[in-house]
Amino acid sequence: RAEPFTLLFGADSNCQLDQGTYTLRNPELGSMSLFLVPVAPPATSAHTEEDLAGSQEKGWPRTFEAVFN
């Protein structure tokens, strides 16, 4: 069995995706469907939970996570 891993995808603050399945396309790798979850501003920022809850209103960049188990 393979080790679980997580992929993080960054997007600008204008990206308004809800949690759900999206098809990602790449010219070399083709298409694949991934379940993405909006998680937080970039991990390089240290913020409180209250800050994270209001991150969209503050215009912070969006981070989406896909977990593979």
Side-chain angles (χ1 to χ4, degrees):
R1 181 177 164 143
E3 286 290 318
F5 64 96
T6 298
L7 294 177
L8 295 176
F9 298 89
D12 66 32
S13 60
N14 296 323
C15 184
Q16 299 296 318
L17 296 177
D18 292 324
Q19 175 174 306
T21 302
Y22 294 90
T23 301
L24 303 180
R25 293 178 181 86
N26 178 284
E28 293 180 30
L29 302 175
S31 298
M32 71 172 57
S33 294
L34 294 177
F35 187 79
L36 299 178
V37 177
V39 289
T44 56
S45 301
H47 299 285
T48 66
E49 285 186 28
E50 288 131 8
D51 286 340
L52 296 178
S55 63
Q56 277 188 300
E57 293 82 25
K58 295 175 183 176
W60 290 344
R62 300 289 308 271
T63 301
F64 299 89
E65 177 180 49
V67 178
F68 299 83
N69 292 322

